């Protein structure tokens, strides 16, 4: 899930309601299949990506994604009503992730947060670890079989989610390093955290 201050409109897709909040839901089939729900809470743009751990039909997945997004929207509406305080939002993000994904976010440590960040890519992510503000993701061989544009998109998504959870007040302080099974870097951040790229 990603929450950020933004003037962007909600994404394209079928319009749905998350309680009283208007939202859009659309497929997000980049790697393992799934769906994305987007909505606005005040000045916050919110995106929840849902990738079930096991195969399920599209109708069931859509219902599950809407149910989770409705829980998340309840939290984002409270945050928006109280104003945007980066430190308070970072502290409360752990509580929201527990409500949305308690299996992955039981402890609000950086290690647990980064596991949530990479959990939507189970077929390509081998492991992840954090040292300071750097998230290191080891990828499986399936990563290298993906088109470069798809790898780049997923890398940017991982970085953005990590930066939002780790250093929301200054995203460029969060870095991403993607390695293969031998520890060789195959992508990640440049001098600024947000300059994310992958190898050919």
């Amino acid at each position: 899930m990603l929450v950020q201050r933004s003037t962007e409109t909600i994404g394209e897709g079928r319009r749905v309601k998350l309680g009283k909040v208007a939202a859009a839901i659309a497929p997000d089939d980049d790697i393992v299949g799934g769906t994305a729900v987007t909505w606005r809470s005040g000045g916050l743009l919110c995106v929840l990506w849902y990738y079930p751990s096991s195969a399920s039909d599209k109708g069931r997945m859509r219902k599950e994604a809407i149910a989770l997004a409705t829980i998340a929207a309840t939290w984002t509406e409270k945050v928006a009503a109280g104003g945007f305080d980066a430190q308070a939002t970072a502290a409360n993000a752990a509580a929201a992730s527990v409500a949305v994904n308690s299996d992955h976010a039981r402890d609000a440590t950086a290690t647990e947060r980064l596991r949530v960040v990479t959990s939507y890519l189970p077929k390509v992510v081998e492991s992840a670890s954090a040292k300071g503000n750097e998230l290191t993701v080891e990828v499986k061989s399936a990563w290298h079989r993906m088109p470069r544009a798809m790898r780049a998109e997923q890398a940017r998504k991982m970085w953005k989610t990590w930066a939002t959870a780790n250093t929301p007040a200054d995203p460029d302080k969060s870095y991403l390093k993607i390695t293969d099974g031998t520890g060789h870097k195959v992508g990640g951040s440049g001098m600024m955290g947000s300059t994310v790229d992958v190898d050919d």
Side-chain angles (χ1 to χ4, degrees):
M1 179 175 155
L2 171 67
V3 179
Q4 65 178 7
R5 177 176 272 177
S6 174
T7 58
E8 292 179 35
T9 58
I10 62 175
E12 296 180 3
R14 194 183 83 184
R15 294 309 195 235
V16 295
K17 284 283 192 179
L18 309 176
K20 296 180 180 179
V21 178
I25 184 167
D28 191 3
D29 298 318
D30 290 339
I31 295 179
V32 295
T35 192
V37 184
T38 58
W39 69 95
R40 292 196 60 78
S41 288
L44 305 177
L45 177 66
C46 312
V47 183
L48 182 137
W49 292 284
Y50 180 56
Y51 294 88
S53 57
S54 60
S56 64
D57 64 82
K58 290 183 179 180
R60 178 181 172 190
M61 182 167 53
R62 191 179 302 114
K63 287 179 183 177
E64 291 172 350
I66 291 172
L68 291 170
T70 301
I71 295 168
T74 301
W75 172 76
T76 59
E77 286 290 281
K78 289 179 182 176
V79 172
F84 188 85
D85 181 318
Q87 290 184 339
T89 299
N92 288 334
S97 62
V98 167
V100 175
N101 199 347
S102 60
D103 289 341
H104 292 290
R106 222 161 259 155
D107 299 313
T109 63
T111 301
E112 288 301 313
R113 285 199 307 272
L114 69 90
R115 286 181 186 151
V116 173
V117 168
T118 58
S119 65
Y120 62 89
L121 300 171
K123 291 188 176 179
V124 296
V125 172
E126 182 67 41
S127 64
S129 61
K131 185 174 183 180
N133 290 330
E134 184 175 75
L135 168 68
T136 301
V137 177
E138 180 186 334
V139 292
K140 300 178 182 177
S141 58
W143 172 267
H144 306 287
R145 294 193 293 270
M146 292 164 45
R148 185 179 187 281
M150 188 179 289
R151 285 183 281 123
E153 180 182 348
Q154 292 304 323
R156 285 190 293 270
K157 189 182 289 186
M158 278 193 285
W159 171 83
K160 195 168 189 177
T161 309
W162 167 244
T164 300
N166 186 52
T167 57
D170 191 353
D172 273 317
K173 286 187 177 178
S174 289
Y175 295 88
L176 172 68
K177 180 179 179 183
I178 302 172
T179 66
D180 62 17
T182 66
H184 178 72
K185 185 176 178 181
V186 295
S189 297
M191 292 186 68
M192 293 176 61
S194 59
T195 56
V196 178
D197 203 359
V198 295
D199 292 353
D200 290 327

